[in-house]
Amino acid sequence: MPKRPATVRARGLGAELRELREQNRFTTREVAKRLGWSASTVSRTETGQRNISSEDVAALLALYGVTGEERDRLLALARKANQPGWWETHDPGLPSQLTALIGFESQATRIVDVQLVLIPGLLQTPEYTRSVMERTGVPDHEIEARVATRLGRQVIFSRPNPPEYVAIIDEAALRRPIGDRTVMLEQLRRLIKATEHPHVGVRVIPYDSGAHAGLNGSFVMLEFAKAPRIVHLEHKRSSLFLDEPEDVSPFTASVDTLREMALNPAKSAEFIASIASDYES
């Protein structure tokens, strides 16, 4: 089961609490004994495997001698960790894996999206998204809600501190016609426009690059300020999140290799524009 979105925030808070414990040279057993908790509760709090109340955080901060503005900041984080995001209240019918992914995206500081077949969801136009869903078996009565949800995810680029977003796209995704010519032309223009955003980088891997490290499948890597990076793998009716370092490291290596093989952002924009010109003629 994927972790709940609140856990993303809990992991960040937990990492800060762990740092405070280590600075004060407490073991998890010592903290547990002083607060009347179990050692496993302390450990799960620090790894974000449980939501933590403001009262629990206040107890830990008192133990660690944290006061003033820093105490207020950490208590605010604790309150925020238990507040649902728009994706948790907007549509109760959203798949749990999608709800988790949206939560992770909202907290990420860096997202690398490697796509072989389709344009990345965070850069899709509504018409492109709708065409994909019509062809991939999404029930008619769910399509518009799913399109709206995907558009809602794109607001991360307009938040005060947007994540760094890198889309590594195989040429096949740019060449595959989705919808009619107008749909594809607008989608390619949307990609070119995205390259103007200071936090967005679009990198294309041309056919003539040959075989590459992404051919095993598309994936998304998300990085956080106070929590380990994770990888999201999506399948037709389910998805999987990887967060163990030994599972994530091969994907990290793939990203490094793919960035070296891909065209730089400027040449990628020119490449996309050349494909768009075919739809204009």
PDB file of all heavy atoms in Angstrom, residues 235-265:
ATOM      1  N   HIS A 235       1.496   1.429 -13.355  1.00  0.00           N
ATOM      2  CA  HIS A 235       1.019   0.364 -14.230  1.00  0.00           C
ATOM      3  C   HIS A 235      -0.433   0.671 -14.599  1.00  0.00           C
ATOM      4  O   HIS A 235      -0.995   1.674 -14.167  1.00  0.00           O
ATOM      5  CB  HIS A 235       1.144  -0.989 -13.541  1.00  0.00           C
ATOM      6  CG  HIS A 235       2.522  -1.257 -13.021  1.00  0.00           C
ATOM      7  ND1 HIS A 235       3.582  -1.534 -13.844  1.00  0.00           N
ATOM      8  CD2 HIS A 235       3.024  -1.219 -11.755  1.00  0.00           C
ATOM      9  CE1 HIS A 235       4.682  -1.694 -13.114  1.00  0.00           C
ATOM     10  NE2 HIS A 235       4.375  -1.502 -11.850  1.00  0.00           N
ATOM     11  N   LYS A 236      -1.055  -0.203 -15.357  1.00  0.00           N
ATOM     12  CA  LYS A 236      -2.388   0.096 -15.868  1.00  0.00           C
ATOM     13  C   LYS A 236      -3.417   0.277 -14.760  1.00  0.00           C
ATOM     14  O   LYS A 236      -4.227   1.198 -14.795  1.00  0.00           O
ATOM     15  CB  LYS A 236      -2.853  -1.016 -16.828  1.00  0.00           C
ATOM     16  CG  LYS A 236      -4.160  -0.684 -17.551  1.00  0.00           C
ATOM     17  CD  LYS A 236      -4.454  -1.689 -18.634  1.00  0.00           C
ATOM     18  CE  LYS A 236      -5.739  -1.338 -19.369  1.00  0.00           C
ATOM     19  NZ  LYS A 236      -5.649  -0.061 -20.106  1.00  0.00           N
ATOM     20  N   ARG A 237      -3.405  -0.593 -13.753  1.00  0.00           N
ATOM     21  CA  ARG A 237      -4.416  -0.525 -12.698  1.00  0.00           C
ATOM     22  C   ARG A 237      -3.821  -0.392 -11.303  1.00  0.00           C
ATOM     23  O   ARG A 237      -4.519  -0.559 -10.302  1.00  0.00           O
ATOM     24  CB  ARG A 237      -5.319  -1.765 -12.760  1.00  0.00           C
ATOM     25  CG  ARG A 237      -6.162  -1.841 -14.016  1.00  0.00           C
ATOM     26  CD  ARG A 237      -7.113  -3.030 -13.977  1.00  0.00           C
ATOM     27  NE  ARG A 237      -8.044  -2.932 -12.860  1.00  0.00           N
ATOM     28  CZ  ARG A 237      -9.180  -2.247 -12.899  1.00  0.00           C
ATOM     29  NH1 ARG A 237      -9.516  -1.587 -13.990  1.00  0.00           N
ATOM     30  NH2 ARG A 237      -9.980  -2.209 -11.854  1.00  0.00           N
ATOM     31  N   SER A 238      -2.547  -0.122 -11.234  1.00  0.00           N
ATOM     32  CA  SER A 238      -1.912   0.018  -9.918  1.00  0.00           C
ATOM     33  C   SER A 238      -0.618   0.798 -10.087  1.00  0.00           C
ATOM     34  O   SER A 238      -0.187   1.084 -11.198  1.00  0.00           O
ATOM     35  CB  SER A 238      -1.628  -1.353  -9.299  1.00  0.00           C
ATOM     36  OG  SER A 238      -0.676  -2.061 -10.084  1.00  0.00           O
ATOM     37  N   SER A 239      -0.012   1.127  -8.962  1.00  0.00           N
ATOM     38  CA  SER A 239       1.300   1.771  -9.009  1.00  0.00           C
ATOM     39  C   SER A 239       2.082   1.362  -7.776  1.00  0.00           C
ATOM     40  O   SER A 239       1.530   0.783  -6.828  1.00  0.00           O
ATOM     41  CB  SER A 239       1.172   3.291  -9.096  1.00  0.00           C
ATOM     42  OG  SER A 239       0.559   3.810  -7.933  1.00  0.00           O
ATOM     43  N   LEU A 240       3.370   1.671  -7.797  1.00  0.00           N
ATOM     44  CA  LEU A 240       4.264   1.219  -6.741  1.00  0.00           C
ATOM     45  C   LEU A 240       5.194   2.351  -6.357  1.00  0.00           C
ATOM     46  O   LEU A 240       5.688   3.084  -7.223  1.00  0.00           O
ATOM     47  CB  LEU A 240       5.074   0.022  -7.247  1.00  0.00           C
ATOM     48  CG  LEU A 240       6.171  -0.540  -6.337  1.00  0.00           C
ATOM     49  CD1 LEU A 240       5.554  -1.180  -5.097  1.00  0.00           C
ATOM     50  CD2 LEU A 240       7.005  -1.569  -7.093  1.00  0.00           C
ATOM     51  N   PHE A 241       5.438   2.502  -5.051  1.00  0.00           N
ATOM     52  CA  PHE A 241       6.400   3.482  -4.551  1.00  0.00           C
ATOM     53  C   PHE A 241       7.591   2.738  -3.955  1.00  0.00           C
ATOM     54  O   PHE A 241       7.417   1.816  -3.153  1.00  0.00           O
ATOM     55  CB  PHE A 241       5.773   4.379  -3.485  1.00  0.00           C
ATOM     56  CG  PHE A 241       4.684   5.271  -4.006  1.00  0.00           C
ATOM     57  CD1 PHE A 241       3.357   4.907  -3.891  1.00  0.00           C
ATOM     58  CD2 PHE A 241       4.997   6.475  -4.619  1.00  0.00           C
ATOM     59  CE1 PHE A 241       2.355   5.723  -4.376  1.00  0.00           C
ATOM     60  CE2 PHE A 241       4.000   7.299  -5.106  1.00  0.00           C
ATOM     61  CZ  PHE A 241       2.667   6.923  -4.984  1.00  0.00           C
ATOM     62  N   LEU A 242       8.782   3.131  -4.353  1.00  0.00           N
ATOM     63  CA  LEU A 242      10.012   2.563  -3.807  1.00  0.00           C
ATOM     64  C   LEU A 242      10.709   3.627  -2.972  1.00  0.00           C
ATOM     65  O   LEU A 242      10.869   4.767  -3.420  1.00  0.00           O
ATOM     66  CB  LEU A 242      10.948   2.126  -4.939  1.00  0.00           C
ATOM     67  CG  LEU A 242      10.379   1.163  -5.986  1.00  0.00           C
ATOM     68  CD1 LEU A 242      11.400   0.921  -7.089  1.00  0.00           C
ATOM     69  CD2 LEU A 242       9.976  -0.159  -5.337  1.00  0.00           C
ATOM     70  N   ASP A 243      11.107   3.268  -1.749  1.00  0.00           N
ATOM     71  CA  ASP A 243      11.829   4.246  -0.925  1.00  0.00           C
ATOM     72  C   ASP A 243      13.042   3.664  -0.227  1.00  0.00           C
ATOM     73  O   ASP A 243      13.783   4.389   0.424  1.00  0.00           O
ATOM     74  CB  ASP A 243      10.903   4.895   0.097  1.00  0.00           C
ATOM     75  CG  ASP A 243      10.270   3.898   1.058  1.00  0.00           C
ATOM     76  OD1 ASP A 243      10.592   2.704   0.988  1.00  0.00           O
ATOM     77  OD2 ASP A 243       9.451   4.327   1.889  1.00  0.00           O
ATOM     78  N   GLU A 244      13.275   2.363  -0.362  1.00  0.00           N
ATOM     79  CA  GLU A 244      14.486   1.790   0.216  1.00  0.00           C
ATOM     80  C   GLU A 244      15.685   2.195  -0.637  1.00  0.00           C
ATOM     81  O   GLU A 244      15.634   2.118  -1.867  1.00  0.00           O
ATOM     82  CB  GLU A 244      14.389   0.264   0.282  1.00  0.00           C
ATOM     83  CG  GLU A 244      13.324  -0.256   1.233  1.00  0.00           C
ATOM     84  CD  GLU A 244      13.614   0.106   2.684  1.00  0.00           C
ATOM     85  OE1 GLU A 244      14.814   0.291   3.014  1.00  0.00           O
ATOM     86  OE2 GLU A 244      12.659   0.217   3.461  1.00  0.00           O
ATOM     87  N   PRO A 245      16.779   2.656  -0.004  1.00  0.00           N
ATOM     88  CA  PRO A 245      17.934   3.151  -0.773  1.00  0.00           C
ATOM     89  C   PRO A 245      18.433   2.166  -1.830  1.00  0.00           C
ATOM     90  O   PRO A 245      18.783   2.577  -2.944  1.00  0.00           O
ATOM     91  CB  PRO A 245      18.991   3.388   0.308  1.00  0.00           C
ATOM     92  CG  PRO A 245      18.197   3.682   1.537  1.00  0.00           C
ATOM     93  CD  PRO A 245      16.970   2.797   1.456  1.00  0.00           C
ATOM     94  N   GLU A 246      18.456   0.872  -1.495  1.00  0.00           N
ATOM     95  CA  GLU A 246      18.968  -0.099  -2.459  1.00  0.00           C
ATOM     96  C   GLU A 246      18.035  -0.267  -3.658  1.00  0.00           C
ATOM     97  O   GLU A 246      18.464  -0.678  -4.742  1.00  0.00           O
ATOM     98  CB  GLU A 246      19.192  -1.458  -1.786  1.00  0.00           C
ATOM     99  CG  GLU A 246      17.953  -2.106  -1.198  1.00  0.00           C
ATOM    100  CD  GLU A 246      17.720  -1.730   0.248  1.00  0.00           C
ATOM    101  OE1 GLU A 246      18.212  -0.668   0.685  1.00  0.00           O
ATOM    102  OE2 GLU A 246      17.039  -2.506   0.949  1.00  0.00           O
ATOM    103  N   ASP A 247      16.734   0.064  -3.481  1.00  0.00           N
ATOM    104  CA  ASP A 247      15.789   0.004  -4.598  1.00  0.00           C
ATOM    105  C   ASP A 247      15.829   1.278  -5.431  1.00  0.00           C
ATOM    106  O   ASP A 247      15.611   1.247  -6.648  1.00  0.00           O
ATOM    107  CB  ASP A 247      14.361  -0.210  -4.075  1.00  0.00           C
ATOM    108  CG  ASP A 247      14.170  -1.553  -3.396  1.00  0.00           C
ATOM    109  OD1 ASP A 247      14.852  -2.519  -3.808  1.00  0.00           O
ATOM    110  OD2 ASP A 247      13.365  -1.640  -2.457  1.00  0.00           O
ATOM    111  N   VAL A 248      16.099   2.402  -4.792  1.00  0.00           N
ATOM    112  CA  VAL A 248      16.080   3.696  -5.470  1.00  0.00           C
ATOM    113  C   VAL A 248      17.377   3.956  -6.238  1.00  0.00           C
ATOM    114  O   VAL A 248      17.369   4.591  -7.302  1.00  0.00           O
ATOM    115  CB  VAL A 248      15.829   4.828  -4.449  1.00  0.00           C
ATOM    116  CG1 VAL A 248      16.003   6.198  -5.092  1.00  0.00           C
ATOM    117  CG2 VAL A 248      14.424   4.691  -3.854  1.00  0.00           C
ATOM    118  N   SER A 249      18.500   3.459  -5.736  1.00  0.00           N
ATOM    119  CA  SER A 249      19.802   3.819  -6.313  1.00  0.00           C
ATOM    120  C   SER A 249      19.942   3.473  -7.800  1.00  0.00           C
ATOM    121  O   SER A 249      20.530   4.265  -8.556  1.00  0.00           O
ATOM    122  CB  SER A 249      20.937   3.171  -5.511  1.00  0.00           C
ATOM    123  OG  SER A 249      20.841   1.764  -5.526  1.00  0.00           O
ATOM    124  N   PRO A 250      19.401   2.343  -8.303  1.00  0.00           N
ATOM    125  CA  PRO A 250      19.520   2.089  -9.749  1.00  0.00           C
ATOM    126  C   PRO A 250      18.807   3.145 -10.586  1.00  0.00           C
ATOM    127  O   PRO A 250      19.262   3.481 -11.691  1.00  0.00           O
ATOM    128  CB  PRO A 250      18.868   0.708  -9.919  1.00  0.00           C
ATOM    129  CG  PRO A 250      18.972   0.062  -8.576  1.00  0.00           C
ATOM    130  CD  PRO A 250      18.794   1.181  -7.601  1.00  0.00           C
ATOM    131  N   PHE A 251      17.707   3.690 -10.068  1.00  0.00           N
ATOM    132  CA  PHE A 251      16.985   4.726 -10.797  1.00  0.00           C
ATOM    133  C   PHE A 251      17.763   6.041 -10.776  1.00  0.00           C
ATOM    134  O   PHE A 251      17.764   6.784 -11.757  1.00  0.00           O
ATOM    135  CB  PHE A 251      15.587   4.911 -10.205  1.00  0.00           C
ATOM    136  CG  PHE A 251      14.687   3.725 -10.413  1.00  0.00           C
ATOM    137  CD1 PHE A 251      14.607   2.719  -9.461  1.00  0.00           C
ATOM    138  CD2 PHE A 251      13.929   3.605 -11.563  1.00  0.00           C
ATOM    139  CE1 PHE A 251      13.793   1.616  -9.643  1.00  0.00           C
ATOM    140  CE2 PHE A 251      13.105   2.506 -11.763  1.00  0.00           C
ATOM    141  CZ  PHE A 251      13.036   1.512 -10.801  1.00  0.00           C
ATOM    142  N   THR A 252      18.428   6.312  -9.656  1.00  0.00           N
ATOM    143  CA  THR A 252      19.273   7.502  -9.575  1.00  0.00           C
ATOM    144  C   THR A 252      20.383   7.432 -10.614  1.00  0.00           C
ATOM    145  O   THR A 252      20.678   8.422 -11.301  1.00  0.00           O
ATOM    146  CB  THR A 252      19.885   7.633  -8.168  1.00  0.00           C
ATOM    147  OG1 THR A 252      18.842   7.658  -7.195  1.00  0.00           O
ATOM    148  CG2 THR A 252      20.715   8.890  -8.041  1.00  0.00           C
ATOM    149  N   ALA A 253      20.986   6.251 -10.736  1.00  0.00           N
ATOM    150  CA  ALA A 253      22.043   6.061 -11.732  1.00  0.00           C
ATOM    151  C   ALA A 253      21.490   6.224 -13.147  1.00  0.00           C
ATOM    152  O   ALA A 253      22.137   6.820 -14.018  1.00  0.00           O
ATOM    153  CB  ALA A 253      22.670   4.675 -11.565  1.00  0.00           C
ATOM    154  N   SER A 254      20.265   5.730 -13.382  1.00  0.00           N
ATOM    155  CA  SER A 254      19.644   5.865 -14.700  1.00  0.00           C
ATOM    156  C   SER A 254      19.411   7.332 -15.048  1.00  0.00           C
ATOM    157  O   SER A 254      19.637   7.760 -16.185  1.00  0.00           O
ATOM    158  CB  SER A 254      18.314   5.106 -14.747  1.00  0.00           C
ATOM    159  OG  SER A 254      18.522   3.712 -14.688  1.00  0.00           O
ATOM    160  N   VAL A 255      18.951   8.098 -14.073  1.00  0.00           N
ATOM    161  CA  VAL A 255      18.713   9.525 -14.315  1.00  0.00           C
ATOM    162  C   VAL A 255      20.015  10.217 -14.713  1.00  0.00           C
ATOM    163  O   VAL A 255      20.044  11.016 -15.664  1.00  0.00           O
ATOM    164  CB  VAL A 255      18.105  10.201 -13.067  1.00  0.00           C
ATOM    165  CG1 VAL A 255      18.164  11.723 -13.186  1.00  0.00           C
ATOM    166  CG2 VAL A 255      16.665   9.753 -12.869  1.00  0.00           C
ATOM    167  N   ASP A 256      21.094   9.917 -14.023  1.00  0.00           N
ATOM    168  CA  ASP A 256      22.386  10.533 -14.350  1.00  0.00           C
ATOM    169  C   ASP A 256      22.802  10.196 -15.782  1.00  0.00           C
ATOM    170  O   ASP A 256      23.265  11.063 -16.534  1.00  0.00           O
ATOM    171  CB  ASP A 256      23.457  10.067 -13.367  1.00  0.00           C
ATOM    172  CG  ASP A 256      23.228  10.586 -11.957  1.00  0.00           C
ATOM    173  OD1 ASP A 256      22.503  11.586 -11.809  1.00  0.00           O
ATOM    174  OD2 ASP A 256      23.767   9.986 -11.011  1.00  0.00           O
ATOM    175  N   THR A 257      22.616   8.933 -16.160  1.00  0.00           N
ATOM    176  CA  THR A 257      22.988   8.494 -17.510  1.00  0.00           C
ATOM    177  C   THR A 257      22.104   9.149 -18.566  1.00  0.00           C
ATOM    178  O   THR A 257      22.581   9.612 -19.611  1.00  0.00           O
ATOM    179  CB  THR A 257      22.876   6.969 -17.621  1.00  0.00           C
ATOM    180  OG1 THR A 257      23.750   6.350 -16.668  1.00  0.00           O
ATOM    181  CG2 THR A 257      23.257   6.487 -19.014  1.00  0.00           C
ATOM    182  N   LEU A 258      20.810   9.203 -18.302  1.00  0.00           N
ATOM    183  CA  LEU A 258      19.873   9.769 -19.267  1.00  0.00           C
ATOM    184  C   LEU A 258      20.096  11.262 -19.479  1.00  0.00           C
ATOM    185  O   LEU A 258      19.967  11.769 -20.597  1.00  0.00           O
ATOM    186  CB  LEU A 258      18.436   9.501 -18.810  1.00  0.00           C
ATOM    187  CG  LEU A 258      17.993   8.040 -18.845  1.00  0.00           C
ATOM    188  CD1 LEU A 258      16.640   7.871 -18.168  1.00  0.00           C
ATOM    189  CD2 LEU A 258      17.932   7.528 -20.282  1.00  0.00           C
ATOM    190  N   ARG A 259      20.423  11.976 -18.418  1.00  0.00           N
ATOM    191  CA  ARG A 259      20.686  13.414 -18.550  1.00  0.00           C
ATOM    192  C   ARG A 259      21.897  13.651 -19.459  1.00  0.00           C
ATOM    193  O   ARG A 259      21.948  14.637 -20.201  1.00  0.00           O
ATOM    194  CB  ARG A 259      20.919  14.047 -17.177  1.00  0.00           C
ATOM    195  CG  ARG A 259      19.637  14.253 -16.382  1.00  0.00           C
ATOM    196  CD  ARG A 259      19.946  14.724 -14.975  1.00  0.00           C
ATOM    197  NE  ARG A 259      20.594  16.017 -14.970  1.00  0.00           N
ATOM    198  CZ  ARG A 259      19.938  17.182 -14.847  1.00  0.00           C
ATOM    199  NH1 ARG A 259      18.636  17.193 -14.717  1.00  0.00           N
ATOM    200  NH2 ARG A 259      20.593  18.325 -14.842  1.00  0.00           N
ATOM    201  N   GLU A 260      22.871  12.760 -19.393  1.00  0.00           N
ATOM    202  CA  GLU A 260      24.052  12.896 -20.243  1.00  0.00           C
ATOM    203  C   GLU A 260      23.730  12.604 -21.706  1.00  0.00           C
ATOM    204  O   GLU A 260      24.272  13.229 -22.614  1.00  0.00           O
ATOM    205  CB  GLU A 260      25.158  11.960 -19.754  1.00  0.00           C
ATOM    206  CG  GLU A 260      25.743  12.342 -18.401  1.00  0.00           C
ATOM    207  CD  GLU A 260      26.795  11.368 -17.933  1.00  0.00           C
ATOM    208  OE1 GLU A 260      27.080  10.399 -18.675  1.00  0.00           O
ATOM    209  OE2 GLU A 260      27.340  11.554 -16.829  1.00  0.00           O
ATOM    210  N   MET A 261      22.821  11.647 -21.947  1.00  0.00           N
ATOM    211  CA  MET A 261      22.470  11.252 -23.307  1.00  0.00           C
ATOM    212  C   MET A 261      21.509  12.235 -23.964  1.00  0.00           C
ATOM    213  O   MET A 261      21.535  12.431 -25.187  1.00  0.00           O
ATOM    214  CB  MET A 261      21.821   9.863 -23.304  1.00  0.00           C
ATOM    215  CG  MET A 261      22.728   8.730 -22.923  1.00  0.00           C
ATOM    216  SD  MET A 261      21.878   7.142 -23.095  1.00  0.00           S
ATOM    217  CE  MET A 261      21.579   7.089 -24.862  1.00  0.00           C
ATOM    218  N   ALA A 262      20.636  12.850 -23.173  1.00  0.00           N
ATOM    219  CA  ALA A 262      19.577  13.691 -23.717  1.00  0.00           C
ATOM    220  C   ALA A 262      20.121  15.008 -24.263  1.00  0.00           C
ATOM    221  O   ALA A 262      21.196  15.479 -23.859  1.00  0.00           O
ATOM    222  CB  ALA A 262      18.539  13.972 -22.634  1.00  0.00           C
ATOM    223  N   LEU A 263      19.363  15.600 -25.169  1.00  0.00           N
ATOM    224  CA  LEU A 263      19.701  16.931 -25.664  1.00  0.00           C
ATOM    225  C   LEU A 263      19.574  17.936 -24.527  1.00  0.00           C
ATOM    226  O   LEU A 263      18.760  17.757 -23.618  1.00  0.00           O
ATOM    227  CB  LEU A 263      18.744  17.323 -26.789  1.00  0.00           C
ATOM    228  CG  LEU A 263      18.738  16.440 -28.037  1.00  0.00           C
ATOM    229  CD1 LEU A 263      17.649  16.919 -29.002  1.00  0.00           C
ATOM    230  CD2 LEU A 263      20.099  16.431 -28.718  1.00  0.00           C
ATOM    231  N   ASN A 264      20.352  19.003 -24.567  1.00  0.00           N
ATOM    232  CA  ASN A 264      20.214  20.025 -23.538  1.00  0.00           C
ATOM    233  C   ASN A 264      18.877  20.752 -23.726  1.00  0.00           C
ATOM    234  O   ASN A 264      18.215  20.598 -24.765  1.00  0.00           O
ATOM    235  CB  ASN A 264      21.398  20.990 -23.545  1.00  0.00           C
ATOM    236  CG  ASN A 264      21.494  21.804 -24.818  1.00  0.00           C
ATOM    237  OD1 ASN A 264      20.500  22.228 -25.396  1.00  0.00           O
ATOM    238  ND2 ASN A 264      22.729  22.037 -25.274  1.00  0.00           N
ATOM    239  N   PRO A 265      18.425  21.538 -22.745  1.00  0.00           N
ATOM    240  CA  PRO A 265      17.105  22.174 -22.849  1.00  0.00           C
ATOM    241  C   PRO A 265      16.908  23.005 -24.109  1.00  0.00           C
ATOM    242  O   PRO A 265      15.838  22.968 -24.727  1.00  0.00           O
ATOM    243  CB  PRO A 265      17.044  23.022 -21.582  1.00  0.00           C
ATOM    244  CG  PRO A 265      17.875  22.275 -20.593  1.00  0.00           C
ATOM    245  CD  PRO A 265      19.022  21.740 -21.409  1.00  0.00           C
TER     246      PRO A 265
END
